[in-house]
Amino acid sequence: MMAGRLCCSVIVLLALYAQTDAASQTVNQDLSDIFNELWKLDVNRMKPGTDYRISLQGKAGYIPSGSTTATDHASAPLFSYVDMDKLNTITTYTRFMKLLDNYERSTGVAERVTSEEVAENNAFLDAVLESAVMKRAHQYLVNKGKSQSNLRQFKSQLYYMWFRLYHRDRNGGEDSSGFEHVFVGETKFGKEIMGLHNWVQFYLQEKQNLLDYKGYKARSNDVPDEDDHVLNVQFSWHGLVKPVGSTFLGVSPEFEMAVFSILFLTSTEKTTTAVVNLDEYQLELVVHRHGRSIGTSYPKLLSSNNRHL
């Protein structure tokens, strides 16, 4: 009888080890390595508690997609403080923020891009290309045969991926771009929030009382901390509710653009997902392509504070 129990215990243990091994195989080590390099190079990342402070408050409840109301589990904004003076001294942030008012929020409404806005796009990319983060990302992509070493050609590749206008809604003209969707946010048919995965835009919309943070989303055994750099959130924006959105916190725009450009260019799948271990987080990174441009990209927090190790 004892031998039978022992045998069963061994089988259970072996099954658990097999599951653990299988889980570890899902992590993309090559991407984890390059993204951790970029993480260390991101000198423009803001420091939690110093450059910005967040107030997590309550855990948001479940609501179905398309809802216009949600119980508010956070009476105060997510961001209790952001050092705008510091942001305004960093070129990539200042040029990034100039782009945030260049877009029509609703899909189906054609974008009209002025020559001034094109100049702003180019100025932002020029600043990004001067950063250590994007220089390393460029080197990585050249080594993988996914980008040309010529800087002008690489800039054109980035411009096409992020700023080329395309049809997201079949009605109307060219109404969307990768940059607008990911960094600025859009609404679909006046019923759904799409994109808006950037923390600076989140903060600025909160500041204007256009966005209302409803609480964080997390498993009960993985409650976030206020110094976390990745967060799953629920929020309302212009009268619509996003059941769950995910965002990096404090990272520079060049870091986000570098990470998702690498993920986009190293795959040909319509939707590319990769599980990576980045700093103390385990993330599922997602990129959906729209032809040769980015349709959407975002980080999905799987585990924080090294709980996955």
Side-chain angles (χ1 to χ4, degrees), residues 92-100 124 179 183 198 200 253:
T92 52
Y93 284 103
T94 57
R95 294 186 183 179
F96 169 79
M97 288 186 284
K98 282 185 179 179
L99 308 181
L100 298 177
F124 169 65
F179 182 88
F183 290 98
N198 177 261
V200 176

Side-chain angles (χ1 to χ4, degrees), residues 113-131:
V113 182
T114 66
S115 56
E116 181 185 1
E117 288 171 350
V118 171
E120 287 177 352
N121 293 342
N122 279 302
F124 169 65
L125 279 183
D126 286 340
V128 164
L129 286 164
E130 287 175 10
S131 69

Side-chain angles (χ1 to χ4, degrees), residues 278-304:
L278 176 65
D279 190 54
E280 63 183 40
Y281 311 100
Q282 186 166 89
L283 312 173
E284 181 181 43
L285 299 175
V286 181
V287 166
H288 184 78
R289 65 182 58 244
H290 196 289
R292 290 191 296 120
S293 299
I294 285 177
T296 188
S297 61
Y298 54 89
K300 182 180 175 185
L301 180 63
L302 301 179
S303 178
S304 61

Side-chain angles (χ1 to χ4, degrees), residues 34-52 79 82-83 86-87 89-93 131-133 198-200 227-230 247-256 259 278-281 283:
I34 182 61
F35 293 158
N36 276 288
E37 277 192 62
L38 300 183
W39 184 263
K40 289 171 185 172
L41 289 170
D42 191 17
V43 294
N44 290 333
R45 183 170 64 249
M46 298 289 117
K47 294 181 179 63
T50 304
D51 301 324
Y52 71 92
F79 288 94
V82 173
D83 188 346
K86 181 168 182 177
L87 284 191
T89 64
I90 300 171
T91 307
T92 52
Y93 284 103
S131 69
V133 168
N198 177 261
W199 73 273
V200 176
D227 63 351
D228 279 351
H229 278 293
V230 196
T247 180
F248 283 109
L249 295 176
V251 303
S252 70
E254 59 265 32
F255 175 82
E256 288 187 77
V259 164
L278 176 65
D279 190 54
E280 63 183 40
Y281 311 100
L283 312 173

